Every structure is written in structure tokens, then in C-alpha cells.
Amino acid sequence: MSPFPIATDKKALEEGTVLAPRFDANGLVTCVTTDAATGELLMVAHMNAESLRLSIESGEAWYWSRSRAELWHKGATSGQIQTIVEMRVDCDQDAIWLKVSVAGDGGCCHTGRHSCFYRVQPLREPSARPLAFA
Amino acid sequence: MSPFPIATDKKALEEGTVLAPRFDANGLVTCVTTDAATGELLMVAHMNAESLRLSIESGEAWYWSRSRAELWHKGATSGQIQTIVEMRVDCDQDAIWLKVSVAGDGGCCHTGRHSCFYRVQPLREPSARPLAFA
């Protein structure tokens, strides 16, 4: 059972003060995580109702790992715990934004990099042009 | 037919220079769009292969509207065209990051606000605590 209510109408969803997440068919919302100090985009992940509740109540980022199909307390093994400085929800409540400060070595990506977004796609060129490392 | 290749292995996916997006069962990747000047998170949307190709080749943001089930040239009717300053892809290539500058009145959200993320969830409290407007 989700601990969250369902918005009764579009106005409640978009202009209300009740968190009523619109989980998708897999029970997930998208979560965008940025560095609270620099604003840099660190990662995009997913949350189910339980990870969202845990994140709110603990103030640390909990996700749902789709590959492992389990709750994922980010940093529990790596030490890269994400303390949530601010949490926001979008207009239609299917996306969450976490501004976090990262403990441990400050990293986020499983490849060892600070951010998961380390490659740049060239623009106004054919889409087959190679990616560049940032 | 997607104009994009499929990565042959995890190393090619994560460390390669070939854009090989991992579209989900609905043929979509998640797209995070931030303001190139301020770093503010503006919106989260989705792209199919065609909208991703159009975005790369035109340098303007094209999304896939799930509610209307059609290609969505952001700003075509509102004037809020998003010129892409930089496009990045994440480690496992299922998310795209656009840094954009917004034309027209500079808005993004269909509610008339600059960003879709205008409500804040209180933390370290029961998850039923009301949202605050930012």
C-alpha cells in the first residue's frame, strides 16, 4: 500500500499542497538529483512509494534499483550517502528533484565519476557524430 | 526504425563514444532540462528516437508527448523554444541532459511558471506534511 494519497483532480495535482505522486505502471516516479552546492546534475534514478517515504522521513536519498529490484539506500556500501538539502515535486507529480550534499569521496556514478553525465553529444550535426568526454 | 545503434556491451555503453540510447519498453528515454544560464531544473520529459535525432540535428528541444502521443517541438505554439546549449548522456545511456536557453517569455511550465518544480516537500517529518510553494 502506498502511504500517499491520489489527487482528486488536475487542480489538486498541480496547485495543491498535498504530495500525491503519480507512480507509473511499475509503481515508480523519476528522480533527478543535483548537487546542492554547485547545481550540477549528478544522476537520474527512480523511486517507488517506499523509497520516497524513506527519503522524506530520513532526509537521505533512497531509490528503487530497477536492475536489482530492491530498495537502494544510496551510499550504504560506498559511503556516498546523499543528504537531502531540498526536495521538490513537479507540476503533475511524476518527477522528484533532490538537491543533495554527498558524503564520502563526494562521488555519485558507479563508474567512479562525480556525475553520471560525463559525455557530451555534439549538436547541429548528424546524430552519429561521436560523443566527447566532458 | 531507430537511427541509433545498440551498444554491443557494457564497456561500449559506459565508456564508448557512440551514442547508443537505451530506449525503454515504450521506446523512450528520460530527458532532464536545465537552464543553461542559472542551472535551475526546468522540467523532466521524455524523448523517443525521432525526437532525440531532431533535437541533436536542429539544436532545439524536441520531446515525445506521452499524453498526446506525438512529437512535441517545445515552444512551437507558446514561443518558449528551447535552444540547446549542451546535450549530455548518462553512464548507462537511458537519460539525456539538455542545458537550454528559453526564448519567448522564458517560461517552461504549462502552469505559467518558469520551472515545473515550484513546490517543496518538507523533510525529516512525516511524509504527509503539506507542500510549500517555492
Side-chain angles (χ1 to χ4, degrees), chain A residues 71-93:
Chain A
L71 282 173
W72 170 26
H73 184 200
K74 176 74 177 167
T77 52
S78 68
Q80 298 167 345
I81 294 284
Q82 297 178 342
T83 299
I84 308 172
V85 175
E86 188 176 81
M87 178 187 288
R88 295 195 180 197
V89 64
D90 77 339
C91 46
D92 61 356
Q93 301 208 36

Side-chain angles (χ1 to χ4, degrees), chain A residues 13 28 44 54 58 70 110 114 124:
Chain A
L13 186 71
L28 302 176
V44 173
L54 284 166
S58 72
E70 65 182 20
H110 76 286
H114 182 63
R124 299 170 201 90

Side-chain angles (χ1 to χ4, degrees), chain A residues 43-84:
Chain A
M43 58 186 283
V44 173
H46 294 82
M47 287 183 171
N48 65 359
E50 180 64 3
S51 56
L52 180 56
R53 186 188 69 77
L54 284 166
S55 296
I56 292 168
E57 297 187 359
S58 72
E60 294 180 351
W62 286 76
Y63 303 103
W64 176 257
S65 168
R66 294 181 300 173
S67 56
R68 296 190 305 270
E70 65 182 20
L71 282 173
W72 170 26
H73 184 200
K74 176 74 177 167
T77 52
S78 68
Q80 298 167 345
I81 294 284
Q82 297 178 342
T83 299
I84 308 172

Side-chain angles (χ1 to χ4, degrees), chain A residues 14 17 56 118 124 131, chain B residues 14-15 17 56 118 124 131:
Chain A
E14 296 181 350
T17 60
I56 292 168
Y118 48 84
R124 299 170 201 90
L131 300 166
Chain B
E14 295 182 352
E15 301 295 336
T17 59
I56 293 168
Y118 48 84
R124 299 171 200 88
L131 300 167

Side-chain angles (χ1 to χ4, degrees), chain B residues 63-128:
Chain B
Y63 303 104
W64 176 256
S65 168
R66 294 181 301 173
S67 57
R68 296 190 304 271
E70 65 182 19
L71 281 173
W72 170 26
H73 184 199
K74 176 73 177 165
T77 52
S78 67
Q80 298 168 346
I81 294 282
Q82 297 178 341
T83 299
I84 307 172
V85 175
E86 188 177 82
M87 177 187 288
R88 295 195 182 197
V89 64
D90 76 339
C91 47
D92 60 355
Q93 301 209 35
D94 63 357
I96 298 290
W97 177 12
L98 301 184
K99 304 180 189 179
V100 303
S101 68
V102 182
D105 64 4
C108 169
C109 182
H110 75 286
T111 67
R113 297 174 176 90
H114 182 62
S115 162
C116 295
F117 290 83
Y118 48 84
R119 285 174 295 183
V120 177
Q121 169 66 43
L123 298 169
R124 299 171 200 88
E125 307 264 0
S127 55

